[in-house]
Amino acid sequence: VPGEMYEGENLQLHVEVTDPGSDPLGRPHNILWDLDGDRVYDDASGSDPLVPWAALEALGLASNGMPNVISVMVDDGEEHGVSYLRGTLKINNLAPVPDAGSNDTIILNEQATPAYVINEGRPLWVDARGTTDPDANDNLVYAWDIYADGIIDYFAGSDPVAFIPWQVLEDAGVPGDGEPIRLRLIVSDQETNGQALRAHDDVPLIVNNVDPVADAGGPYMINEGDRGILLDGSGSYDINANDDMRAPRN
């Protein structure tokens, strides 16, 4: 048994059998394996079985570097002819493979590029369901970093699909100028035994401008000969507080 392997790899087992006696009937040895420690020898058979990763994954073996106890039983078919051998197998963790998803395609550096595109004031729906991990039993958590600056702006927990409120984008300083910024997905696998790993995937985010809402105030009244009138446009607003509103002279 290889003492150590990584998630996603197939497991090559091997046991050498010697028997001081010979079976007069020429019957072969019956070799059975218990890989999940349930004392039921039904996980593999033969002296050199190749166990695919999918089978190991289905057995739920620890993949955080902790030892898994595996056993082999050899039966020669004769009375008192059963022997057992134990060993340990460590399966080391590998990082997840994140996929930040997209909701549109843009032309970036003269190439079609998946991206997220929204209008100012709208929440951002993100979909990271394309994320995979070599071990489907790993518990993944998802976080989103606007500008990929190392600051987590939205923690989505175990849900790969999330609605990031507009307020979160606005607080991060996202402009509504239609220029791409980096949105980073960070995925962690929460393994124990010091083997927790994380990885990230970046995708462009474009926030398109939306017209401000103008409020001219009033009604206004002025008498002939008055020196002027005070106009109040303070009721005007823009859905994105990061936009700079200036009234054109007219």
Side-chain angles (χ1 to χ4, degrees):
V1 177
E4 200 165 355
M5 61 178 287
Y6 285 91
E7 290 178 335
E9 295 179 345
N10 298 329
L11 173 61
Q12 179 66 65
L13 297 169
H14 174 72
V15 62
E16 293 185 5
V17 178
T18 58
D19 193 337
S22 60
D23 186 347
L25 300 179
R27 290 173 296 189
H29 295 94
N30 189 24
I31 303 173
L32 301 174
W33 297 80
D34 170 21
L35 303 180
D36 56 2
D38 62 358
R39 299 186 180 181
V40 178
Y41 291 81
D42 59 353
D43 301 322
S45 62
S47 61
D48 295 281
L50 179 65
V51 185
W53 170 250
L56 300 175
E57 193 175 48
L59 291 172
L61 301 185
S63 60
N64 60 356
M66 294 294 289
N68 296 279
V69 177
I70 66 174
S71 305
V72 60
M73 177 182 69
V74 181
D75 183 357
D76 65 5
E78 300 181 39
E79 187 177 1
H80 307 299
V82 179
S83 296
Y84 300 89
L85 182 65
R86 278 188 170 187
T88 58
L89 171 66
K90 291 183 180 181
I91 304 176
N92 291 314
N93 186 37
L94 288 176
V97 181
D99 182 348
S102 63
N103 66 3
D104 207 339
T105 300
I106 64 171
I107 301 301
L108 188 63
N109 298 325
E110 301 182 351
Q111 292 187 353
T113 304
Y116 285 105
V117 180
I118 62 170
N119 290 332
E120 288 180 323
R122 305 296 299 174
L124 173 61
W125 180 75
V126 287
D127 184 356
R129 285 177 293 183
T131 297
T132 59
D133 190 278
D135 187 354
N137 299 309
D138 285 356
N139 297 315
L140 304 181
V141 294
Y142 303 81
W144 297 87
D145 173 4
I146 301 167
Y147 284 110
D149 56 5
I151 299 174
I152 300 299
D153 297 285
Y154 190 80
F155 181 73
S158 60
D159 196 343
V161 177
F163 283 90
I164 301 178
W166 167 251
Q167 187 65 51
V168 173
L169 300 170
E170 189 176 49
D171 290 347
V174 172
D177 57 7
E179 291 297 318
I181 63 175
R182 272 200 300 170
L183 175 66
R184 174 167 291 176
L185 166 67
I186 303 171
V187 183
S188 305
D189 63 14
Q190 303 299 290
E191 280 286 13
T192 57
N193 195 37
Q195 288 212 356
L197 295 173
R198 69 179 191 174
H200 69 263
D201 182 36
D202 293 347
V203 62
L205 168 63
I206 289 180
V207 179
N208 291 319
N209 189 39
V210 173
D211 289 338
V213 178
D215 184 348
Y220 298 103
M221 183 176 295
I222 187 171
N223 295 320
E224 289 181 328
D226 286 352
R227 295 185 61 183
I229 187 171
L230 178 63
L231 303 177
D232 182 7
S234 61
S236 303
Y237 66 92
D238 192 283
I239 197 66
N240 187 355
N242 300 305
D243 286 354
D244 182 15
M245 286 198 305
R246 298 182 183 184
R249 293 184 176 275
N250 187 350

